[in-house]
């Protein structure tokens, strides 16, 4: 039985994809902030990849200084509002909150964070401005969390910044990838507009950088280039039948969902291949789009899934069923997908082995491959001297983000291989400082 | 089943809970409703000279998310016609003959006092309370706290009242005075049957940051008000105790101030009150809170084996001493229960910055450690710890020795010089002043600075001066 009816209008879509972390009102924020103990050397700060001074901003909320709270947040993380809603807080700040050790509900840090920043955005509070021009220019490729954060920080340091973005909207996967029940498009874009207005960087949309000629032009006109290109499309599985209609990549499916909402086509019986967080998202999203059955198929056991436990719980909560220790062999069908042929697997010495003679076909009318994103190797290979590691990640200095081509810097998914918005945002801030250090050194 | 009834200076009441003279006792309607709900008595909203009230009368003090932890008002005495009040008192008494109705009064001349006392007696009041406490408006007209602050005037007025009073007279005292026992003794000298305390404390509960005016704001301006509610209980308890312990007061005490639950009431009673009055809590939550109060009191009395209220009146008084009579040989130090500790390190920062540097942090754990030699047993860490029974103060002396400051004074062993070897703080380890510089700064910097300071932090930490192990 489907838990959700197929949404046919915007309101129905929003009902099915209701926000997991709804906005707090002032009273709720006051109550919640007053629970915070204001720990010394607070563990929540250390657990935040962007090191937000959590007790400080919570105290600011509690004393009625919401604007100051927003400043504290943004000083550490330019995606402050988005992160409050999309961060896996269960394993980050809230997971570290000392209340957990007393078996009590941790402080709702994420929601408080979004409460403060949302208010600053809506009231258009001027918290930041560009630094005095220093006469130097940086080009940024990609307007995702990494690119935009680097742009903000560089502007505050006085750089002229041009961002080149392949898509029509900023924020990268925050608006094209993150599940809609975590944050709405409007909310993401409002934060982007807020940042753009304060820092005054220029973004050229629908401007993919794809050729050596374009890269050369950037190298000539800019003092440094920042690569905030993230990852690419879904990796192919190289399975027979993969080309059949209704066999889609998770990233592509979700991008459509984010842009077209209820007009996104979903099957009646969907099989999602994968065991990571993207797989959990795709499965939950299919269910909320009204799919009657959603099966999550993973090669290994349940415990070995890469996804966070709370993400799997979320998927289970909307009726998704798990199918473990099975590997897809072929996508069956006649033009369109009609099922997936699996073989059962066993794990021997850490290696997944197919068990001969255990093939079976699970019928379905849609397959979503959530088996990882490809790297943008074609582009990266056009950059002279740029070293890439065995997993396709750009090699760069931990602290400064400088790549093996000194003019190029990077951070975010392109360098860490795929993490969270908060990582991209925090690392990009550090990389912007790295660029500043590098360009200031010669003076 | 314990007996909750009282006979307070001749005023009988089914339980010790009375509504204080205030808005909840403004009308017969409210008093009947309160008696119906279970209140034992009501001190009628003060009757007296004609007044006019302002609009916008109350201000609150919120603590974090808690509303009205403190409360203040700039209201005056009853503005309803005296005849209406007298008629309603009569009506209430007819309906509730066994409940206590006490008329609170405030007028000026001897004749006025005589008249109004006769009026309320005729209406059937069980007692009279003289309001010598109102700290705003009325005092400017020579009444209220203006009387309560002048023991001789107070005594004179009490004498006037006693000339005609046939029912018990309670004098309500103002806390806006340095020694509460002075007016209490004056009340006794004047012949009063009992005292009640405290009335409200002169206060400004807050200032509007945009209008630059104190709350409550009346057309852009404000005035001092009278403070009450949970915040004032500690002050009230101390004053109740002072009156109860004073050998020349010796009057029944009606305890007032910050009473919101049975516990607060019991505290007042243990310090000498034999009836209690409630205002703010009834204004905040309504008359229904009486059920929790009576059931809590009954439960407590049952558990303690008290049969009547009088079994516990003043029971804590023998244990309230002067500082000089406390045992200087008694010694406690803090102990952290590692199993319970959640690692908030509030105890650490409190002791480190606010007490005696007797808690250290150790590498690899968030559970702090008490440096027993440095702990003076101040209790601070156990007060800030958010986990119940996590930090306990453990007794370290063997209980065999008892020596007070008074005894030391008599024996001539008290320290007398600035660098006296016999002083308390001698030989107590304190870190060298310069060891403070840079220590842990990185842990208290704002978020962004913290990130960039992290590198220097390691260097600083390693150079930090170690305490004796
Ligand atoms: C399905 C899914 C769900 C996720 N859910 C969450 C979540 O709930 N919470 C969370 O914190 N994180 C989540 N993430 C991860 C998070 O979105 C990423 O870690 C983060 O967006 C990475 O930021 P980035 O700037 O490095 O890359 P991206 O967000 O990928 O941004 C890269 C940008 O560069 C542009 N670009 C790429 N190549 C070029 C080019 N050649 N020229 C011009 N522009 C280019 C892209 O169009 C894009 O706008 C999720 C990821 C996925 C895939
Ligand atoms: C709004 C208000 C009006 C009051 N009016 C009177 C009054 O008319 N006469 C009086 O004796 N006390 C008056 N008081 C003082 C209360 O009776 C009581 O002494 C004081 O509020 C402390 O008790 P609490 O802790 O219950 O607040 C008033 C208090 C408040 C809050
Ligand atoms: S750990 Fe929890 S309680 Fe402590 S400061 Fe952080 S949010 Fe507040
Ligand atoms: S009792 Fe006082 S001195 Fe002792 S450890 Fe606690 S805070 Fe420090
Ligand atoms: S205050 Fe209590 S819970 Fe917090 S660190 Fe100290 S002992 Fe542990």
């Amino acid at each position: 039985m489907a838990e959700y009816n197929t949404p046919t209008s915007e309101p129905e879509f929003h009902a099915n994809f209701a926000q997991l972390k709804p906005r707090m009102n002032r009273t709720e924020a006051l109550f919640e902030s007053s629970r915070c103990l204001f720990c010394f050397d607070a563990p929540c700060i250390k657990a935040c990849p962007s090191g937000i001074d959590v007790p400080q901003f919570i105290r600011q909320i509690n004393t009625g200084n919401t604007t100051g709270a927003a400043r504290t947040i943004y000083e550490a993380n330019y995606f402050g509002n988005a992160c409050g809603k999309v961060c896996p807080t269960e394993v980050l700040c809230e997971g570290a909150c000392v209340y957990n050790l007393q078996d009590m509900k941790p402080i709702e840090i994420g929601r408080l964070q979004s409460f403060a920043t949302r208010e600053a955005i809506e009231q258009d509070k001027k918290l930041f401005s560009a630094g005095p021009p220093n006469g130097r220019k940086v080009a940024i490729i990609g307007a995702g969390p990494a690119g935009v954060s680097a742009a903000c920080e560089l502007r505050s340091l006085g750089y002229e910044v041009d961002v080149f973005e392949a898509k029509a909207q900023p924020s990268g996967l925050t608006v094209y990838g993150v599940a809609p029940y975590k944050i709405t498009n409007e909310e993401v874009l409002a934060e982007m507009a807020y940042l753009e207005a304060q820092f005054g960087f220029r973004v050229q949309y629908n401007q993919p950088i794809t050729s050596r000629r374009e890269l050369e032009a950037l190298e000539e006109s800019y003092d440094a280039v920042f690569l905030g290109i993230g990852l690419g499309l879904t990796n192919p599985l190289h399975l027979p039948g993969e080309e059949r209609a209704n066999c889609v990549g998770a990233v592509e499916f979700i991008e459509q969902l984010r842009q077209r909402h209820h007009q996104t086509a979903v099957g009646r019986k969907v099989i999602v291949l994968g065991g990571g967080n993207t797989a959990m998202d795709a499965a939950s999203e299919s269910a909320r789009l009204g799919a009657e059955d959603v099966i999550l198929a993973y090669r290994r056991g349940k415990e070995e899934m890469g996804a966070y436990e709370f993400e799997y719980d979320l998927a289970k909560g909307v009726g998704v069923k798990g199918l473990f220790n099975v590997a897809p062999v072929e996508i069956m069908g006649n033009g369109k997908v009609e099922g997936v042929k699996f073989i059962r697997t066993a794990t021997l010495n850490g290696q997944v082995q197919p068990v001969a003679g255990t093939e079976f076909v699970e019928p379905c009318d849609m397959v979503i491959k959530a088996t990882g994103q490809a790297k943008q190797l074609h582009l990266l290979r056009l950059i002279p001297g740029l070293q890439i590691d065995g997993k396709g990640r750009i090699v760069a200095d931990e602290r400064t983000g400088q790549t093996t081509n000194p003019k190029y810097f990077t951070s975010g998914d392109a360098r860490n291989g795929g993490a969270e918005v908060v990582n991209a945002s925090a690392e990009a801030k550090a990389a912007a400082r790295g660029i500043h250090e590098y360009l200031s050194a010669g003076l | 089943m314990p007996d909750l009834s009282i006979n307070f200076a001749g005023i009988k009441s089914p339980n010790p809970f009375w509504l204080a003279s205030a808005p909840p006792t403004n009308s017969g309607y409210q008093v009947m409703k309160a008696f119906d709900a279970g209140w034992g008595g009501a001190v009628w909203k003060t009757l007296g000279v004609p007044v006019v009230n302002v609009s916008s009368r109350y201000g609150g003090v919120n603590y974090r998310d808690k509303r009205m932890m403190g409360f203040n008002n700039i209201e005056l005495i009853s503005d309803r016609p005296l005849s209406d009040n007298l008629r309603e008192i009569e009506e209430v008494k007819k309906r509730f003959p066994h409940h206590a109705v006490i008329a609170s009064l405030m007028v000026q001349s001897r004749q006025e006092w005589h008249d109004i006392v006769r009026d309320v007696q005729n209406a059937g009041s069980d007692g009279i309370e003289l309001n010598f406490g109102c700290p705003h408006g009325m005092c400017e007209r020579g009444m209220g706290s203006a009387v309560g602050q002048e023991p001789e005037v107070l005594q004179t007025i009490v004498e006037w009242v006693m000339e005609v009073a046939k029912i018990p007279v309670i004098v309500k005292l103002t806390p806006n005075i340095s020694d509460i026992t002075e007016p209490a003794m004056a009340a006794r000298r004047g012949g009063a049957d009992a005292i009640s305390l405290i009335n409200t404390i002169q206060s400004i509960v807050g200032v509007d940051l945009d209008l630059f005016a104190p709350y409550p704001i009346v057309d852009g301006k404000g005035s001092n008000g009278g403070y009450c509610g949970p915040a004032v209980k500690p002050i009230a308890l101390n004053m109740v105790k002072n009156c109860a312990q004073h050998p020349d007061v010796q009057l029944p005490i009606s305890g007032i101030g910050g009473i919101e639950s049975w516990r607060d009431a019991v505290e007042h009673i243990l310090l000498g009150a034999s009836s209690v009055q409630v205002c703010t809590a009834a204004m905040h939550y309504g008359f229904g809170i009486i059920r929790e109060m009576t059931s809590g009191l009954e439960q407590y009395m049952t558990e303690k084996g008290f049969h009547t209220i009088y079994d516990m009146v003043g029971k804590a008084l023998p244990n309230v001493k002067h500082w000089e009579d406390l045992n200087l040989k008694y010694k406690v130090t803090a102990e952290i229960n590692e199993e319970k500790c959640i690692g908030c390190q509030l105890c650490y920062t409190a002791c480190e910055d606010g007490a005696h540097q007797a808690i250290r942090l150790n590498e690899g754990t968030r559970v702090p450690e008490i440096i027993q030699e440095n702990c003076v047993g101040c209790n601070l860490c156990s007060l800030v710890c958010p986990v119940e029974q996590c930090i306990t103060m453990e007794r370290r002396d063997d209980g065999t020795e008892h020596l007070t400051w008074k005894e030391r004074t008599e024996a001539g062993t008290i320290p007398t010089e600035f660098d006296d070897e016999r002083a308390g703080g001698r030989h107590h380890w304190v870190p060298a002043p310069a060891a403070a510089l840079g220590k842990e700064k990185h842990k208290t910097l704002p978020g962004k600075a913290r990130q960039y300071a992290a590198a220097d932090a390691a260097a600083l930490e390693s150079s930090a001066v170690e305490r004796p192990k």
Side-chain angles (χ1 to χ4, degrees), chain B residues 395-431:
Chain B
R395 185 161 192 176
R396 305 297 176 190
D397 69 309
D398 61 10
T400 56
E401 287 183 285
H402 192 281
L403 182 63
T404 67
W405 179 260
K406 199 200 253 162
E407 288 160 355
R408 276 185 70 170
T409 311
E410 285 159 2
T413 62
I414 55 168
T416 51
E417 280 159 30
F418 286 123
D419 292 321
D420 206 310
E421 272 299 319
R422 296 166 297 186
R426 293 291 283 185
H427 312 298
H428 194 271
W429 180 86
V430 288

Short mmCIF file of all heavy atoms in Angstrom, two decimals, chain B residues 395-431:
data_model
loop_
_atom_site.label_atom_id
_atom_site.label_comp_id
_atom_site.label_asym_id
_atom_site.label_seq_id
_atom_site.Cartn_x
_atom_site.Cartn_y
_atom_site.Cartn_z
N ARG B 395 31.49 14.98 52.64
CA ARG B 395 32.08 15.42 53.91
C ARG B 395 33.47 14.81 54.09
O ARG B 395 33.66 13.61 53.88
CB ARG B 395 31.18 15.01 55.07
CG ARG B 395 31.68 15.53 56.39
CD ARG B 395 30.63 15.56 57.45
NE ARG B 395 31.11 16.34 58.59
CZ ARG B 395 30.38 16.60 59.66
NH1 ARG B 395 29.14 16.17 59.73
NH2 ARG B 395 30.88 17.31 60.66
N ARG B 396 34.43 15.63 54.47
CA ARG B 396 35.80 15.14 54.62
C ARG B 396 36.28 15.17 56.07
O ARG B 396 37.23 14.47 56.40
CB ARG B 396 36.77 16.00 53.79
CG ARG B 396 36.41 16.11 52.32
CD ARG B 396 36.45 14.78 51.60
NE ARG B 396 36.00 14.96 50.22
CZ ARG B 396 35.74 13.97 49.38
NH1 ARG B 396 35.89 12.70 49.75
NH2 ARG B 396 35.33 14.21 48.16
N ASP B 397 35.67 15.99 56.94
CA ASP B 397 36.12 15.98 58.33
C ASP B 397 35.44 14.80 59.03
O ASP B 397 34.44 14.27 58.52
CB ASP B 397 35.78 17.30 59.04
CG ASP B 397 34.29 17.46 59.25
OD1 ASP B 397 33.55 17.31 58.26
OD2 ASP B 397 33.86 17.74 60.38
N ASP B 398 35.96 14.39 60.15
CA ASP B 398 35.41 13.18 60.78
C ASP B 398 34.25 13.49 61.73
O ASP B 398 33.74 12.60 62.41
CB ASP B 398 36.50 12.35 61.47
CG ASP B 398 37.19 13.15 62.57
OD1 ASP B 398 36.68 14.25 62.91
OD2 ASP B 398 38.23 12.69 63.08
N GLY B 399 33.86 14.76 61.80
CA GLY B 399 32.68 15.09 62.60
C GLY B 399 32.94 15.18 64.09
O GLY B 399 32.02 15.38 64.87
N THR B 400 34.19 15.04 64.49
CA THR B 400 34.47 15.04 65.94
C THR B 400 34.78 16.43 66.46
O THR B 400 34.72 16.68 67.66
CB THR B 400 35.67 14.14 66.27
OG1 THR B 400 36.78 14.58 65.48
CG2 THR B 400 35.38 12.68 65.94
N GLU B 401 35.16 17.33 65.56
CA GLU B 401 35.57 18.65 66.03
C GLU B 401 34.51 19.70 65.75
O GLU B 401 33.83 19.65 64.73
CB GLU B 401 36.87 19.07 65.34
CG GLU B 401 38.08 18.30 65.84
CD GLU B 401 39.33 18.81 65.16
OE1 GLU B 401 39.54 18.47 63.98
OE2 GLU B 401 40.09 19.56 65.80
N HIS B 402 34.39 20.65 66.64
CA HIS B 402 33.42 21.73 66.48
C HIS B 402 34.06 22.99 67.01
O HIS B 402 34.45 23.08 68.18
CB HIS B 402 32.13 21.41 67.25
CG HIS B 402 31.02 22.33 66.89
ND1 HIS B 402 30.92 23.60 67.40
CD2 HIS B 402 29.96 22.17 66.05
CE1 HIS B 402 29.84 24.18 66.89
NE2 HIS B 402 29.25 23.33 66.07
N LEU B 403 34.23 23.98 66.13
CA LEU B 403 34.85 25.23 66.57
C LEU B 403 34.25 26.36 65.76
O LEU B 403 34.27 26.32 64.54
CB LEU B 403 36.38 25.17 66.36
CG LEU B 403 37.17 26.40 66.82
CD1 LEU B 403 37.05 26.60 68.33
CD2 LEU B 403 38.63 26.26 66.42
N THR B 404 33.69 27.36 66.46
CA THR B 404 33.05 28.46 65.75
C THR B 404 33.91 29.71 65.85
O THR B 404 34.84 29.79 66.67
CB THR B 404 31.67 28.77 66.35
OG1 THR B 404 31.88 29.28 67.67
CG2 THR B 404 30.80 27.53 66.40
N TRP B 405 33.57 30.67 65.03
CA TRP B 405 34.27 31.97 65.08
C TRP B 405 34.10 32.60 66.45
O TRP B 405 35.03 33.16 67.03
CB TRP B 405 33.71 32.89 63.99
CG TRP B 405 34.35 34.25 63.97
CD1 TRP B 405 33.82 35.39 64.50
CD2 TRP B 405 35.62 34.61 63.42
NE1 TRP B 405 34.68 36.43 64.30
CE2 TRP B 405 35.81 36.00 63.64
CE3 TRP B 405 36.63 33.88 62.75
CZ2 TRP B 405 36.94 36.68 63.21
CZ3 TRP B 405 37.76 34.57 62.33
CH2 TRP B 405 37.92 35.94 62.57
N LYS B 406 32.90 32.45 66.98
CA LYS B 406 32.65 33.03 68.30
C LYS B 406 33.56 32.38 69.34
O LYS B 406 34.20 33.08 70.13
CB LYS B 406 31.18 32.80 68.68
CG LYS B 406 30.69 33.75 69.79
CD LYS B 406 29.45 33.21 70.47
CE LYS B 406 28.21 33.97 70.09
NZ LYS B 406 26.98 33.22 70.39
N GLU B 407 33.67 31.04 69.26
CA GLU B 407 34.54 30.34 70.21
C GLU B 407 36.01 30.75 70.02
O GLU B 407 36.76 30.90 70.97
CB GLU B 407 34.39 28.82 70.04
CG GLU B 407 33.04 28.30 70.58
CD GLU B 407 32.65 26.95 70.02
OE1 GLU B 407 33.36 26.40 69.14
OE2 GLU B 407 31.60 26.42 70.46
N ARG B 408 36.38 30.90 68.74
CA ARG B 408 37.76 31.32 68.48
C ARG B 408 38.00 32.73 69.00
O ARG B 408 39.09 33.03 69.51
CB ARG B 408 38.07 31.25 66.98
CG ARG B 408 38.46 29.87 66.51
CD ARG B 408 38.88 29.84 65.05
NE ARG B 408 40.16 30.53 64.81
CZ ARG B 408 40.82 30.47 63.66
NH1 ARG B 408 40.33 29.77 62.64
NH2 ARG B 408 41.95 31.11 63.51
N THR B 409 36.99 33.57 68.86
CA THR B 409 37.15 34.94 69.37
C THR B 409 37.34 34.91 70.87
O THR B 409 38.24 35.56 71.42
CB THR B 409 35.90 35.77 69.03
OG1 THR B 409 35.61 35.60 67.66
CG2 THR B 409 36.13 37.25 69.31
N GLU B 410 36.49 34.10 71.51
CA GLU B 410 36.60 34.01 72.97
C GLU B 410 37.94 33.44 73.39
O GLU B 410 38.53 33.86 74.39
CB GLU B 410 35.45 33.16 73.52
CG GLU B 410 34.13 33.93 73.51
CD GLU B 410 32.88 33.05 73.56
OE1 GLU B 410 33.03 31.81 73.64
OE2 GLU B 410 31.78 33.60 73.46
N ALA B 411 38.45 32.49 72.59
CA ALA B 411 39.72 31.85 72.95
C ALA B 411 40.92 32.69 72.49
O ALA B 411 42.07 32.33 72.74
CB ALA B 411 39.80 30.46 72.33
N GLY B 412 40.64 33.76 71.76
CA GLY B 412 41.73 34.63 71.30
C GLY B 412 42.56 34.02 70.19
O GLY B 412 43.74 34.30 70.06
N THR B 413 41.96 33.15 69.36
CA THR B 413 42.75 32.52 68.28
C THR B 413 42.33 33.01 66.90
O THR B 413 42.66 32.39 65.90
CB THR B 413 42.59 30.98 68.33
OG1 THR B 413 41.21 30.68 68.11
CG2 THR B 413 43.04 30.41 69.64
N ILE B 414 41.63 34.11 66.84
CA ILE B 414 41.26 34.61 65.51
C ILE B 414 42.42 35.38 64.91
O ILE B 414 43.23 35.96 65.64
CB ILE B 414 40.01 35.52 65.58
CG1 ILE B 414 40.24 36.67 66.58
CG2 ILE B 414 38.77 34.73 65.94
CD1 ILE B 414 39.19 37.75 66.47
N PRO B 415 42.52 35.40 63.58
CA PRO B 415 43.59 36.18 62.95
C PRO B 415 43.37 37.66 63.22
O PRO B 415 42.23 38.14 63.19
CB PRO B 415 43.46 35.86 61.46
CG PRO B 415 42.09 35.31 61.29
CD PRO B 415 41.70 34.70 62.60
N THR B 416 44.44 38.38 63.46
CA THR B 416 44.29 39.79 63.81
C THR B 416 45.12 40.70 62.94
O THR B 416 44.93 41.90 62.92
CB THR B 416 44.69 40.03 65.27
OG1 THR B 416 45.98 39.44 65.47
CG2 THR B 416 43.70 39.43 66.24
N GLU B 417 46.09 40.11 62.18
CA GLU B 417 46.94 40.95 61.34
C GLU B 417 46.72 40.60 59.88
O GLU B 417 46.21 39.54 59.55
CB GLU B 417 48.40 40.72 61.71
CG GLU B 417 48.81 41.50 62.95
CD GLU B 417 50.03 40.91 63.61
OE1 GLU B 417 50.86 40.34 62.87
OE2 GLU B 417 50.13 41.02 64.84
N PHE B 418 47.21 41.49 58.98
CA PHE B 418 47.00 41.27 57.55
C PHE B 418 47.62 39.98 57.07
O PHE B 418 47.06 39.28 56.25
CB PHE B 418 47.53 42.46 56.75
CG PHE B 418 46.63 43.66 56.87
CD1 PHE B 418 47.11 44.87 57.34
CD2 PHE B 418 45.28 43.56 56.51
CE1 PHE B 418 46.28 45.96 57.44
CE2 PHE B 418 44.44 44.65 56.61
CZ PHE B 418 44.93 45.86 57.09
N ASP B 419 48.79 39.66 57.54
CA ASP B 419 49.45 38.45 57.09
C ASP B 419 49.43 37.36 58.14
O ASP B 419 50.34 36.55 58.24
CB ASP B 419 50.90 38.77 56.66
CG ASP B 419 50.91 39.63 55.42
OD1 ASP B 419 50.05 39.38 54.52
OD2 ASP B 419 51.74 40.56 55.32
N ASP B 420 48.37 37.35 58.89
CA ASP B 420 48.26 36.43 60.02
C ASP B 420 48.28 34.96 59.56
O ASP B 420 47.57 34.58 58.64
CB ASP B 420 46.95 36.72 60.77
CG ASP B 420 47.03 36.31 62.22
OD1 ASP B 420 47.45 35.14 62.46
OD2 ASP B 420 46.70 37.13 63.08
N GLU B 421 49.12 34.18 60.19
CA GLU B 421 49.22 32.76 59.88
C GLU B 421 47.91 32.03 60.11
O GLU B 421 47.65 30.97 59.54
CB GLU B 421 50.31 32.11 60.77
CG GLU B 421 51.70 32.17 60.21
CD GLU B 421 51.84 31.43 58.87
OE1 GLU B 421 51.26 30.35 58.74
OE2 GLU B 421 52.50 31.97 57.95
N ARG B 422 47.06 32.61 60.97
CA ARG B 422 45.82 31.91 61.34
C ARG B 422 44.65 32.23 60.39
O ARG B 422 43.54 31.72 60.56
CB ARG B 422 45.43 32.27 62.77
CG ARG B 422 46.44 31.79 63.81
CD ARG B 422 46.22 32.44 65.16
NE ARG B 422 46.40 33.89 65.11
CZ ARG B 422 46.37 34.68 66.19
NH1 ARG B 422 46.16 34.16 67.39
NH2 ARG B 422 46.54 35.97 66.07
N ALA B 423 44.93 33.04 59.35
CA ALA B 423 43.87 33.41 58.41
C ALA B 423 43.51 32.23 57.51
O ALA B 423 44.33 31.33 57.29
CB ALA B 423 44.29 34.61 57.58
N GLY B 424 42.30 32.27 56.95
CA GLY B 424 41.80 31.12 56.19
C GLY B 424 42.53 30.85 54.90
O GLY B 424 42.84 29.72 54.58
N GLY B 425 42.82 31.87 54.12
CA GLY B 425 43.39 31.67 52.80
C GLY B 425 44.88 31.37 52.77
O GLY B 425 45.45 31.14 51.72
N ARG B 426 45.51 31.32 53.93
CA ARG B 426 46.95 31.04 53.97
C ARG B 426 47.21 29.62 53.48
O ARG B 426 46.46 28.71 53.74
CB ARG B 426 47.48 31.18 55.41
CG ARG B 426 47.44 32.59 55.96
CD ARG B 426 48.42 33.50 55.29
NE ARG B 426 49.80 33.28 55.76
CZ ARG B 426 50.82 34.02 55.38
NH1 ARG B 426 50.65 34.99 54.49
NH2 ARG B 426 52.01 33.78 55.85
N HIS B 427 48.33 29.47 52.78
CA HIS B 427 48.78 28.17 52.30
C HIS B 427 47.81 27.53 51.32
O HIS B 427 47.86 26.34 51.09
CB HIS B 427 49.03 27.20 53.47
CG HIS B 427 49.85 27.81 54.56
ND1 HIS B 427 51.13 28.26 54.34
CD2 HIS B 427 49.55 28.10 55.85
CE1 HIS B 427 51.60 28.78 55.46
NE2 HIS B 427 50.65 28.71 56.38
N HIS B 428 46.91 28.31 50.78
CA HIS B 428 46.03 27.76 49.76
C HIS B 428 46.64 28.07 48.42
O HIS B 428 46.90 29.23 48.10
CB HIS B 428 44.63 28.35 49.88
CG HIS B 428 43.64 27.57 49.09
ND1 HIS B 428 43.37 27.85 47.79
CD2 HIS B 428 42.89 26.49 49.42
CE1 HIS B 428 42.49 26.98 47.33
NE2 HIS B 428 42.19 26.14 48.30
N TRP B 429 46.86 27.05 47.60
CA TRP B 429 47.55 27.25 46.34
C TRP B 429 46.72 28.08 45.36
O TRP B 429 45.53 27.83 45.18
CB TRP B 429 47.85 25.88 45.72
CG TRP B 429 48.57 25.98 44.42
CD1 TRP B 429 49.91 26.09 44.24
CD2 TRP B 429 47.98 26.02 43.11
NE1 TRP B 429 50.21 26.19 42.90
CE2 TRP B 429 49.04 26.14 42.19
CE3 TRP B 429 46.68 25.97 42.64
CZ2 TRP B 429 48.84 26.20 40.82
CZ3 TRP B 429 46.47 26.03 41.27
CH2 TRP B 429 47.54 26.15 40.37
N VAL B 430 47.37 29.09 44.77
CA VAL B 430 46.75 29.78 43.62
C VAL B 430 47.79 29.85 42.52
O VAL B 430 48.98 29.96 42.81
CB VAL B 430 46.27 31.22 43.97
CG1 VAL B 430 45.04 31.20 44.84
CG2 VAL B 430 47.37 32.03 44.60
N PRO B 431 47.36 29.78 41.27
CA PRO B 431 48.34 29.83 40.19
C PRO B 431 48.98 31.21 40.10
O PRO B 431 48.39 32.20 40.55
CB PRO B 431 47.52 29.54 38.93
CG PRO B 431 46.09 29.48 39.34
CD PRO B 431 45.98 29.63 40.81
#
